């Protein structure tokens, strides 16, 4: 249950960062760890694939040295979802933390 809630927060983090810049798995793992979320590749990559399949992220593979790295950006639909969730997050925050 706790994990479900954390995963929802993690999705929002991913959308937020993918709105600001191109993101990739290893970079996101470091960013999420900074926020106190432990998420491994086995959880993160399927999550990114799901967000892409849902049309919230687009993926562009690019060569980095001899390796291919998948870069993700937010889509217009992702922006709409993020905006809606921001409003809900603000409301939740006010009730949860400020009252
Ligand atoms: Zn973050």
């Amino acid at each position: 249950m706790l994990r479900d809630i954390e995963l929802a927060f993690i999705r929002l983090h991913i959308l937020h960062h993918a709105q600001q810049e191109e993101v990739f798995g290893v970079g996101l793992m470091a960013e999420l760890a900074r926020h106190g979320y432990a998420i491994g590749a086995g959880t993160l990559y399927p999550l990114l694939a799901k967000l892409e399949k849902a049309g919230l992220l687009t993926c562009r593979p690019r060569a980095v040295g001899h390796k291919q790295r998948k870069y993700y950006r937010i889509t217009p639909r992702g922006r709409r979802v993020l905006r809606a969730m921001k409003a809900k997050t603000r409301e939740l925050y006010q009730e949860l933390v400020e009252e």
Side-chain angles (χ1 to χ4, degrees):
M1 190 57 197
L2 176 63
R3 193 58 175 160
D4 282 350
I5 298 170
E6 276 197 351
L7 282 170
F9 287 175
I10 286 170
R11 284 189 179 87
L12 290 177
H13 267 291
I14 293 172
L15 288 176
H16 169 68
H17 289 290
Q19 175 168 256
Q20 294 189 316
E21 62 200 341
E22 272 190 327
V23 295
F24 56 94
V26 175
L28 280 173
M29 270 187 261
E31 166 64 17
L32 288 165
R34 198 175 67 80
H35 286 295
Y37 298 103
I39 183 166
T43 304
L44 182 62
Y45 288 104
L47 194 62
L48 288 169
K50 247 194 244 174
L51 290 169
E52 186 191 359
K53 210 171 165 208
L56 306 184
L57 295 178
T58 51
C59 177
R60 202 157 49 99
R62 228 170 36 230
V64 177
H66 293 291
K67 285 182 76 177
Q68 284 269 74
R69 180 179 275 171
K70 287 182 166 180
Y71 287 90
Y72 294 89
R73 284 216 82 123
I74 201 164
T75 63
R77 167 183 260 189
R79 278 178 205 280
R80 282 199 300 279
V81 168
L82 184 60
R83 207 177 304 126
M85 291 317 297
K86 244 186 216 181
K88 287 193 194 289
T89 301
R90 188 176 296 122
E91 197 197 309
L92 180 65
Y93 178 85
Q94 282 165 356
E95 187 161 297
L96 227 58
V97 180
E98 289 184 345
E99 274 177 15

